[in-house]
Amino acid sequence: MRLLDDEIDLRTLSPLTLAFIGDAVYDLLVREMLVCRGNRPVGVMNNEKIELVRCETQARYAKALFDSLTEEEQSVLKRGKNANAMTVPKHASRIDYHFATGFEALFGYLYLKGESERIRELFKLAVAAEDK
């Protein structure tokens, strides 16, 4: 479910634009998951959130999910991974940053397509892969 019903042609959006919205979608999923685990101090939840939204975590999730993705989804993730990001955070490796960008691009793409159920499915798979 999208929050706005504005029309958008996904074919015209760059992978970095998809990652821009995907970052927010993924962040909200993580926050909601943490809140659903129970009422705790916000500082504790924020520290857990920071661990889950780090480039390294998103890169692991992207790699763990790749074989579960459709060809279209794999293509979006690859486009995001191969996007020419101008800067890489000091705390992240270039490879992890690119995979994380691909992961965020995928979530942005699915969000803008209105595929909420698929987003939930992939998020659950990613978190479950991490727990193994």
Side-chain angles (χ1 to χ4, degrees):
M1 166 193 94
R2 288 196 34 212
L3 297 175
L4 298 175
D5 58 0
D6 296 356
E7 290 294 317
I8 190 160
D9 183 357
L10 293 173
R11 296 170 296 166
T12 64
L13 299 179
S14 76
L16 294 176
T17 299
L18 294 173
F20 174 76
I21 189 75
D23 175 55
V25 171
Y26 175 69
D27 188 78
L28 182 58
L29 284 164
V30 167
R31 288 171 185 257
E32 185 175 336
M33 178 185 72
L34 295 173
V35 167
C36 288
R37 288 182 178 170
N39 195 29
R40 294 172 292 147
V42 173
V44 171
M45 289 189 289
N46 191 58
N47 288 338
E48 291 177 17
K49 178 200 70 106
I50 289 168
E51 284 301 311
L52 292 168
V53 299
R54 294 175 63 218
C55 291
E56 295 84 358
T57 304
Q58 289 183 14
R60 283 195 311 271
Y61 285 177
K63 293 170 189 173
L65 288 178
F66 193 78
D67 291 336
S68 301
L69 301 177
T70 66
E71 282 186 36
E72 177 184 6
E73 292 166 347
Q74 286 179 353
S75 175
V76 171
L77 192 145
K78 286 178 187 175
R79 281 182 50 223
K81 182 176 85 63
N82 295 328
N84 190 15
M86 295 306 220
T87 60
V88 175
K90 293 177 185 175
H91 65 277
S93 76
R94 181 170 290 285
I95 292 170
D96 282 348
Y97 186 72
H98 285 286
F99 269 103
T101 302
F103 181 76
E104 291 174 347
L106 173 62
F107 274 72
Y109 178 80
L110 292 172
Y111 173 77
L112 291 173
K113 275 186 77 178
E115 295 192 17
S116 301
E117 190 56 41
R118 182 62 173 159
I119 292 169
R120 282 192 286 279
E121 178 183 344
L122 292 176
F123 181 75
K124 288 177 184 176
L125 281 173
V127 171
E130 188 77 3
D131 290 339
K132 290 182 182 178

